[in-house]
Amino acid sequence: MRWITKITQMLGCRYPIIQGAYTAFGTADLAAPVSAAGGFGIITAHNFTPDGLKEEIRKAKSITDNPFGVNFSIMPRTSADAIETPTDYNEYIDIVIDEGIKTCFTSAYKAKEIGNRLKDNGINWIHKCATMKHALSAERDGADAVVIVGLEGTGYKNPLQNTTMVNMVMANRLLKIPFIAAGGIGDARGFLGTLSMGAQAVYMGTAFMATKECPIPENFKRDMIVNQDCFDPKMYERLYHHKLKDSGTPSMAVGVIDDILTVKEFIDKIMNDAERILRSWGFNSDCFDTTKDR
Ligand SMILES: Cc1cc2nc3c(=O)[nH]c(=O)nc-3n(C[C@H](O)[C@H](O)[C@H](O)COP(=O)(O)O)c2cc1C
């Protein structure tokens, strides 16, 4: 089945599946296999020096001809727990321009300047945020699309954050630009559910952490994701409270991740399961196209 959405068209990928940004392990080793398998992989810039980012982009290009992106995480400096990200990403942006990267993501904090510089150079700018207010302001600032992370997802929490379901339903009413669902997604049901709520792609962090290519220890994948009980009260303490220092904790997506698969096996599983579900609902077309949805 062919999958066409406003985001597959914008990014040039086969499936509307995007791999999240990560501090520490958002590298070519994970991003390139995701893009090679038809999704869209992301290299996280602040894991590298500018020269290191150039090498990493070239490494990804040596693994796949498919497009991949770069994330610029911009953290507010108000918390002692906040990770350090470069205050000035200009040198990094020079590199993504020189290397011909076509789509970049910004995340977390005010990204207008970076976004405008990307757009001035013909690069798609997608901003990731946690609230509808910030999604609307990214739209006003000129973002081409937004990722909205629900409360059940991993990441820095905002006291005004909503769940993925509320985000998608409201984004569909309030935003004009395409939006991408993130937060607690890890299987075909979450994938199809958010597309039906108006999302043009899904963006997954925890789920890709459990893949074989993700360069983190095997026992973390097993103990903290595959075998993690999503109903454990400790999960709720970590995820649903405004504790910045726990922002890297696996999300509610652990509830649907049953195995450690290769990136390709994982993406194929979602797409095959999604197709099977659609067929069981009586969907007969060979093309799933959300571009005329609204
Ligand atoms: C260990 C870890 C580190 C992360 N680091 C970053 C980061 O540096 N920048 C960023 O924008 N998002 C970061 N994220 C958030 C993901 O990119 C993504 O938004 C989030 O995982 C989506 O929710 P999900 O885990 O439910 O799929 C991180 C997530 C995890 C699990």
Side-chain angles (χ1 to χ4, degrees):
M1 184 186 283
R2 282 194 311 135
W3 294 80
I4 304 174
T5 74
K6 290 175 190 168
I7 292 295
T8 61
Q9 289 179 333
M10 187 185 295
L11 272 47
C13 53
R14 183 166 176 208
Y15 302 129
I17 290 185
I18 303 168
Q19 163 244 313
Y22 308 99
T23 295
F25 51 88
T27 63
D29 290 335
L30 181 57
V34 171
S35 289
F40 193 83
I42 295 179
I43 294 172
T44 306
H46 70 260
N47 294 324
F48 304 97
T49 60
D51 280 344
L53 177 64
K54 187 195 287 182
E55 274 173 40
E56 206 61 16
I57 290 172
R58 292 187 176 177
K59 184 175 179 188
K61 284 181 186 166
S62 73
I63 300 171
T64 182
D65 291 332
N66 291 348
F68 56 88
V70 171
N71 163 275
F72 299 107
S73 301
I74 312 159
M75 301 300 172
R77 309 224 165 237
T78 49
S79 159
D81 298 320
I83 53 158
E84 282 297 307
T85 58
T87 41
D88 176 3
Y89 270 121
N90 271 322
E91 236 187 295
Y92 291 81
I93 298 174
D94 291 341
I95 284 158
V96 301
I97 295 166
D98 288 349
E99 291 298 316
I101 297 295
K102 297 278 180 281
T103 301
C104 287
F105 291 71
T106 53
S107 50
Y109 208 48
K110 292 176 180 148
K112 187 178 177 181
E113 262 180 53
I114 293 180
N116 286 346
R117 187 156 178 234
L118 294 168
K119 284 183 63 108
D120 286 348
N121 285 280
I123 297 172
N124 298 316
W125 168 35
I126 303 183
H127 184 64
K128 183 172 72 171
C129 53
T131 67
M132 190 55 55
K133 184 178 151 201
H134 293 145
L136 286 162
S137 103
E139 178 176 79
R140 276 194 304 276
D141 289 344
D144 294 297
V146 284
V147 181
I148 313 176
V149 188
L151 195 57
E152 60 273 68
T154 291
Y156 284 77
K157 297 293 166 185
N158 186 302
L160 301 180
Q161 200 163 358
N162 267 303
T163 59
T164 298
M165 183 160 176
V166 173
N167 285 340
M168 295 303 101
V169 171
M170 292 314 293
N172 197 51
R173 286 169 174 254
L174 299 176
L175 291 172
K176 291 180 197 68
I177 54 174
F179 54 92
I180 298 160
I185 301 167
D187 70 355
R189 299 260 173 204
F191 169 77
L192 281 179
T194 50
L195 291 191
S196 75
M197 285 185 261
Q200 297 289 324
V202 295
Y203 180 106
M204 294 181 280
T206 297
F208 278 112
M209 271 172 81
T211 58
K212 287 198 175 136
E213 288 88 339
C214 184
I216 58 170
E218 205 68 8
N219 62 337
F220 185 96
K221 296 176 192 175
R222 189 79 37 219
D223 299 344
M224 300 294 287
I225 302 178
V226 174
N227 293 335
Q228 173 67 54
D229 172 10
C230 73
F231 301 116
D232 180 346
K234 289 200 187 78
M235 285 286 301
Y236 293 72
E237 275 170 37
R238 286 198 296 256
L239 270 180
Y240 295 137
H241 296 259
H242 193 215
K243 283 185 172 182
L244 290 177
K245 65 179 160 42
D246 285 334
S247 70
T249 191
S251 75
M252 277 295 159
V254 299
V256 293
I257 305 294
D258 304 324
D259 211 351
I260 300 171
L261 302 174
T262 65
V263 158
K264 180 164 169 35
E265 286 167 344
F266 173 62
I267 291 178
D268 285 350
K269 179 168 169 25
I270 290 194
M271 301 319 296
N272 291 336
D273 286 352
E275 185 167 342
R276 183 181 47 72
I277 294 165
L278 285 172
R279 299 287 181 226
S280 78
W281 292 345
F283 185 85
N284 288 323
S285 171
D286 274 333
C287 182
F288 183 94
D289 181 350
T290 63
T291 58
K292 292 165 206 78
D293 189 8
R294 61 190 181 117

